[in-house]
Each structure stands twice: as structure tokens, then as C-alpha cells.
Amino acid sequence: MKQPYQSIRQSLLLASILYTGLALAQTPGDQTPTPATPSATATPARGGFRGQNQNAPAPYMESPTAYQNTAPSGCVGCVATPADARALSLQRQGGGGGAGAALFQTAAGPGGQTAPAAAGAPAQAPGGQAAGGADAPRRVGPRQNQPNPLPYDLLLKNGHVIDAKNNLDRLIDVAIKDGKIAAVGVDLKPTDAAKTVDAKGLYVVPGMIDLHMHMYATTGEGGGSYAGDDSIWPDGFTLRNGVTTAVDAGSSGWRNFEDFKDHVIDRSQTRVLAMLNIVGAGMRGGRYENNIADMNAEPTAWVAKRYPGVVIGIKSAHFTGPEWEPYIQATKAGTLANIPVMIDYGSNRIERPLYELLTKYLRPGDIYTHCFSGLRGEQDPHTLLPQKGLIEGRARGIYFDAGTGGGSFRFRVAYPLIKAGFKPDSLSTDLHIGSFNSSTKDMLNVMSKFMAMGLTLQEVVADTTWHPAREIKQEQLGNLSVGSDADVAVLSEEHGTFGFVDMDNVKMMGDTRLVCEMTLREGKVVYDLNGLSMDLWNQKPSSDPTVAGHWTAYVPRPALPEQLTPSTK
């Protein structure tokens, strides 16, 4: 009986010796990665939203941020907080700095040995090659993105400019330097620009502003949540349609806005602005959106004032009850923060008629969206013309936005109202998963649809550029004034026979459809449908590739050596 016991004892002793040997082998200078943990400044799990003043009075401390995520436990190399993520991004771009960056900095060990740049990252590329080492493929030619000594980075030549703010509707050139409009004039010289694009036969307009989209797509929440799966990512739906500024219309509220900002606004190439939902939890479905107890003007205005120029409005939407309280709280928040209110009027209730909303509750400068839906009595049932509330509301200074969406636009309403002279102040898409594949599709489809009903090209351009810029009090946008951000769309017209659809799944035929040929965001080409800004593949460059980074996001790639001199191997 002693033999089995001794055998077990010997096994345990051997395991102990091996464990001790491994522990001794790990010296004090060892750089073995450890699981990332939240930084000392990370927001606690309870007690308010991220970055909040912990001494702020109620109701700002009532609940934690919705969807506040940290790194998974034991996730080697995971980023624990948004601050750490930003620090890593800065380091990758050469910005370095910040306490969070220390998580990712290369640390020197004993004898000058270095640890990986990020915990768990491989020191070598696959196949044993050091990343970026001597054996890595090398491009030929001079280093990219040299300084541009010329007056302009990019010149748009021979285009027809439409700019409502500056009353421009003519052939004229537009020059850009350092992301700004540098000059608008006749016969600007191509020799003054690093790159010249011939826009002959095309329309050059300010980058468009979509006043009504839903883009809080990052939370993973389903069940009809626009703070979740019903929203869309902006960049795939904006830039290819000439939209450079997108306004999220109330997907987040004051409780979860910072999560939306961290995950969407701060990571998008499109300029994303936001209207805060008067519901603190945001647009998460009827259970939340009908909760009057979560409609509070003070915390909503407090968050709006904390992010001026990003939070540019207040939104009330989808309310089904008879009370006026959502609109009272929304306009109160708008007044406290000095920003406009947009109303999606929800259910049509006799206790709160549309006429009273437009003539009593909304303030001059507020926005009534879905104005051609016919769902809340916008159309007089007897005359089929605009009801008197729309006429009197416009006289008071209320703006009327199309917001076509998936179920908010009817030809039977829009066509007679437009023919009677009641045209929209702005066009927007209300783009979400239920509208981009149905009747709305995209901004250019909405513009083309309204042209089929009689609006001119100049009107639909104004309704998607300068007019919405004024409505949201962001008048630095939506124009081509010298000094403005060089957000530009280059459009063409297709002529033929086209069908445009509404919420009732009926269509109107039109003979013109708009197409986006090229989009610039802050002076750089970010979308180019037909390679308007690019050279033919088998011809020499028409501009200096070493300064291309000043005018395009698609910097030309120099050839590999074997593409210039065929290999003899």
C-alpha cells in the first residue's frame, strides 16, 4: 500500500519543482503581457455617465450610462476605456501622449530589450519576417505627402456651381487649400493647383446636410430600437450620395449620448451631429419613448450645452399618449440650450391637435418633420390643401422638413400641397434599416423625387445645403464661401424614364435622376464614382504624387520594383 502513496507524493513533488522553476525564470524585468484592466479614471459601474461631473446635482446622477462597456475580463491587449482607445489611435498616427497611451508604448526591459507595442501583439510578421523589416516589399519613388508650395491643393474647373447662400448659379471655378475653400472665381489657373479636376458638364454644390438620419447602430439592441439594430452606420450611406454632414435625429438621449459619441460620432468620416431625444434613454421603442417620467428638460439641456456644435437640437418622436408634456419638455430643453426642436408628432390624437402644436407649443425656428405623411392631419380632408396649422405655423417661423423615411411620405399629400405653393423648407431622408431599401433609398433619390413633383434643381440643392444649415444654426456649413470647410459634392444628371416610390408602394414617374460623381470632405476626395480625379492606369501622373495627400484620401500607390522592371527570376 506504500507504493501507490509514494508514487503520488513523488508526482506532487515533481510538479512543485517545475512550478518553482517557471516562477524563478520570470525575472523582475519580464515583459509578459497581462490582461488589460480599466484605467483609474474609468467611470464606475454606477453613479452617472462617462466623464460626468460626479458632484453634479440630481437628476444627472440617477442612472448609469446605457451600453457602457469595458474590456472583457482576461482579454489580453483589449482596450479598457474610450480614453485608452483614443490614446492608441494617437500613437498609431504618431501623436503619442496621454496616460492611456502608456498601455501601448514600447517598454525597455533589461539590457535594452523591448516589449511588444501592444500586449499580445506579434513581434514578427507571418513567416518569421520582422514587420516592416528589410525583406518587406518596398514601394519605389519619393516619400508621400510632401508640403505643397502652390496656392491651391485642388482646383475644380469648369463646373456649374449652385450655392444658395452666395446666390451662385453659374459656371465658375472653385479652389481649395488646407481643407478650406480658398477661392471661387472665373478662370482660376491650373498651374496654381497641385491637382486640377475638370468638372465640365457637372454641378458643383456644397456638401449636403441630411437633417434626419438614425446612426446609433453600435449597441446590439434589437426589438425596434433606433439606439440599436434599426440604425445604420453613416459613412456607407452618406459620402457616396454627396452628404458630408449627417444629423442623428434623436436616437440617443442624455443618458446614452456619450456612448453614441464615442462609438459613432468620433469614428466617422462623415461629420455627424446629433439631436438629443427628450427621452433620456433615447429612441429604444415604445416602452421607453412613451415614458413621460424620463422626459426631463434640465439634464437634456445640460448635456446639449456640454457639447456645443455637436448636439445641435432636441427631438421628440413617436409619442402615442394624449399629453402635451413631451413637447413642453422638449421646447423647454431647446430654450435652455438655445437650440431648435424637431418634432415627429407620433400618434394622431384629438386631445393634442396638430394645429395647436404648430401655433401654440412650437417656437419660431423649430422643425416639424414628416410634413408630407398625412398621418397627423397635415392635409385638409375637404380641400386636399395644407391645413391651416401649416400655413399659420410657417408664418410664425416654423420650418417644415420632408423626412420621407419608410412610412412618412405620400404623393397624394405632397403633390397637391406643393402645387398649392406649400414647398418643404428642407429635404431629409429619415434613413434607417426600414427606409434605405424601400421608398426613400438615399438623399439623391429624395431630391430626384421632389424634382419629379416640380421642384427645380436649384431648389432641391438649397433644401439640402443652405436651408438645413440655417435650421440647425450651423451657418458655417452648406455653402462654398471662402474660408468655409471644403465639403463639396459634384453631381450629374441622368435623363430617361425613372420611377419614384412612396410609403403606399405607388410610384410617380420622372425624367431626371441625380448621381453623385465625386465627394470632398474637408478638401479631400472621399468618393469618386468614375475616377474623375484619377489618372488612367497606363499613363504618366498628371500631378505630383508626393503632394496627393493634400487633396485626396486615395493617395496613388507607387509601383513595386518588379512592375517597373520585370523580374528575371
Side-chain angles (χ1 to χ4, degrees), residues 315-477:
K315 177 78 179 292
S316 173
H318 306 159
F319 184 64
T320 61
E323 297 88 349
W324 286 103
E325 191 63 18
Y327 316 107
I328 293 171
Q329 292 296 320
T331 52
K332 181 179 179 181
T335 299
L336 290 171
N338 191 30
I339 51 180
V341 170
M342 175 184 278
I343 300 294
D344 167 341
Y345 205 31
S347 297
N348 190 16
R349 301 290 299 245
I350 59 173
E351 301 92 338
R352 47 175 179 83
L354 178 60
Y355 178 82
E356 286 192 39
L357 176 77
L358 297 173
T359 59
K360 180 180 177 181
Y361 286 92
L362 293 187
R363 310 160 301 159
D366 287 339
I367 304 163
Y368 182 78
T369 192
H370 307 318
C371 66
F372 297 123
S373 72
L375 295 174
R376 295 109 185 162
E378 292 90 353
Q379 186 178 37
D380 187 296
H382 303 292
T383 65
L384 302 183
L385 299 178
Q387 73 130 289
K388 62 180 182 178
L390 271 67
I391 304 300
E392 294 182 25
R394 174 161 281 173
R396 291 183 62 232
I398 307 300
Y399 293 116
F400 292 88
D401 173 62
T404 56
S408 299
F409 171 82
R410 282 188 168 103
F411 285 119
R412 294 183 180 94
V413 176
Y415 188 75
L417 265 60
I418 288 171
K419 291 303 177 186
F422 193 85
K423 297 179 180 179
D425 293 301
S426 56
L427 299 178
S428 67
T429 61
D430 183 18
L431 211 61
H432 50 76
I433 64 165
S435 60
F436 71 74
N437 280 333
S438 59
S439 57
T440 286
K441 296 179 177 65
D442 54 51
M443 177 62 87
L444 294 175
N445 188 270
V446 171
M447 295 166 71
S448 303
K449 183 180 300 184
F450 276 81
M451 290 173 69
M453 290 187 288
L455 270 66
T456 65
L457 174 62
Q458 289 73 16
E459 286 176 315
V460 299
V461 168
D463 286 348
T464 54
T465 56
W466 179 234
H467 292 174
R470 288 188 305 175
E471 290 178 32
I472 59 175
K473 299 182 179 181
Q474 301 296 309
E475 297 186 9
Q476 76 278 14
L477 304 177

Side-chain angles (χ1 to χ4, degrees), residues 510-532:
D511 60 8
T512 303
R513 181 168 63 188
L514 295 175
V515 175
C516 181
E517 295 290 341
M518 188 169 72
T519 304
L520 309 182
R521 174 77 172 94
E522 292 186 324
K524 293 187 178 183
V525 177
V526 292
Y527 177 75
D528 193 343
L529 178 63
N530 289 303
L532 193 64

Side-chain angles (χ1 to χ4, degrees), residues 173-223:
D173 302 334
V174 178
I176 294 161
K177 180 72 173 180
D178 296 332
K180 304 288 185 181
I181 302 295
V184 179
V186 179
D187 294 330
L188 298 182
K189 297 178 180 178
T191 53
D192 286 339
K195 176 70 176 182
T196 298
V197 172
D198 187 2
K200 185 177 181 180
L202 303 174
Y203 295 97
V204 177
V205 306
M208 289 177 279
I209 302 168
D210 194 337
L211 197 61
H212 190 157
M213 292 180 66
H214 294 286
M215 297 169 282
Y216 191 4
T218 59
T219 68
E221 182 174 68

Side-chain angles (χ1 to χ4, degrees), residues 107-243:
Q113 294 178 349
T114 57
Q124 290 188 328
Q129 270 189 350
D135 294 331
R138 291 187 177 184
R139 302 278 175 177
V140 298
R143 186 167 60 88
Q144 302 298 301
N145 212 29
Q146 296 290 319
N148 175 27
L150 296 173
Y152 311 133
D153 296 325
L154 180 63
L155 175 61
L156 300 176
K157 190 80 176 163
N158 304 319
H160 185 134
V161 172
I162 301 175
D163 179 358
K165 177 183 179 180
N166 294 299
N167 296 311
L168 284 174
D169 183 15
R170 55 176 293 197
L171 292 175
I172 198 167
D173 302 334
V174 178
I176 294 161
K177 180 72 173 180
D178 296 332
K180 304 288 185 181
I181 302 295
V184 179
V186 179
D187 294 330
L188 298 182
K189 297 178 180 178
T191 53
D192 286 339
K195 176 70 176 182
T196 298
V197 172
D198 187 2
K200 185 177 181 180
L202 303 174
Y203 295 97
V204 177
V205 306
M208 289 177 279
I209 302 168
D210 194 337
L211 197 61
H212 190 157
M213 292 180 66
H214 294 286
M215 297 169 282
Y216 191 4
T218 59
T219 68
E221 182 174 68
S225 175
Y226 290 93
D229 290 355
D230 280 16
S231 278
I232 60 173
W233 291 90
D235 289 347
F237 297 88
T238 51
L239 304 174
R240 64 189 298 111
N241 290 295
V243 174

